[in-house]
Amino acid sequence: DAGVIQSPRHEVTEMGQEVTLRCKPISGHNSLFWYRQTMMRGLELLIYFNNNVPIDDSGMPEDRFSAKMPNASFSTLKIQPSEPRDSAVYFCATAGGTGELFFGEGSRLTVL
Amino acid sequence: AQSVTQPDIHITVSEGASLELRCNYSYGATPYLFWYVQSPGQGLQLLLKYFSGDTLVQGIKGFEAEFKRSQSSFNLRKPSVHWSDAAEYFCAVGAEGGSYIPTFGRGTSLIVHP
């Protein structure tokens, strides 16, 4: 298996623009997590899906953030409009029921 | 609620020296415990995990960790550090059950001097 695949790896955009981050989970994994990592806050859980259903989105910072999982093989995290404070590395991770998380390589977002 | 504390933000060791990274957790029942490593520009990778049984667990890359219930700790150790071990290390605690959501510590940055 190719592992968790995230795109884009790097995104530079201007304040106010829409940003869409994508994740392809490992086949068969029924849990998917979106994390944000910054120096100030460390690793923050944004949202968690189980069997494509959002279970806990209490970590989503505000309404500008939204996440979807239309099927078992694809998820998106969208920021609209983006702000400089959204600059971070965003990770997608999946789990198959053993408790272990498998992380993608992350999407580094810079909002100017 | 579960929580994880990694008291050391940075640890510096010389290559070949032994290493111990500290992790303390707070959880009401028997936890699932994990150590992950993150190399620069990469995602987190599992080093080892504890679910039950033997409290000393072996992981990849020569790492081991010991679960001590009385101290609520799960410290990571390596007898001889290599320069390639320089990375960020995260301890995590999880819960048994359907709504598994792991909680991560803030991480410890390991610096290895030649």
Side-chain angles (χ1 to χ4, degrees), chain B residues 18 25 30:
Chain B
S18 63
Y25 69 90
T30 299

Side-chain angles (χ1 to χ4, degrees), chain A residues 72-111:
Chain A
S73 58
F74 185 64
S75 178
T76 59
L77 177 68
K78 186 175 293 187
I79 308 172
Q80 167 63 16
S82 58
E83 296 182 4
R85 59 192 168 118
D86 301 331
S87 298
V89 181
Y90 291 82
F91 286 102
C92 176
T94 66
T98 64
E100 175 184 354
L101 295 190
F102 293 81
F103 283 78
E105 293 189 318
S107 295
R108 180 174 295 276
L109 174 64
T110 302
V111 183

Side-chain angles (χ1 to χ4, degrees), chain B residues 8-106:
Chain B
D8 303 306
I9 298 175
H10 303 282
I11 290 280
T12 301
V13 299
S14 298
E15 190 169 15
S18 63
L19 171 70
E20 182 169 31
L21 301 182
R22 296 183 291 166
C23 172
N24 293 97
Y25 69 90
S26 174
Y27 184 65
T30 299
Y32 290 177
L33 294 161
F34 308 84
W35 275 99
Y36 287 83
V37 61
Q38 183 182 28
S39 297
Q42 301 294 314
L44 281 69
Q45 178 188 18
L46 184 71
L47 279 176
L48 49 77
K49 61 186 178 185
Y50 170 79
F51 283 2
S52 64
D54 192 347
T55 56
L56 183 64
V57 293
Q58 303 297 320
I60 61 172
K61 305 184 181 185
F63 286 91
E64 66 178 26
E66 187 171 11
F67 169 55
K68 293 185 177 179
R69 184 187 301 276
S70 61
Q71 299 177 19
S72 297
S73 70
F74 189 57
N75 294 349
L76 182 70
R77 300 194 295 250
K78 186 170 185 177
S80 178
V81 170
H82 188 263
W83 64 266
S84 60
D85 293 325
E88 190 86 13
Y89 291 81
F90 293 89
C91 182
V93 62
E96 185 175 0
S99 298
Y100 170 82
I101 302 178
T103 299
F104 285 85
R106 288 298 305 270

Side-chain angles (χ1 to χ4, degrees), chain A residues 54-74:
Chain A
I55 302 299
D56 183 355
D57 66 353
S58 59
M60 297 287 262
E62 46 197 277
D63 292 346
R64 298 184 297 106
F65 285 71
S66 62
K68 294 182 180 180
M69 192 166 184
N71 56 62
S73 58
F74 185 64

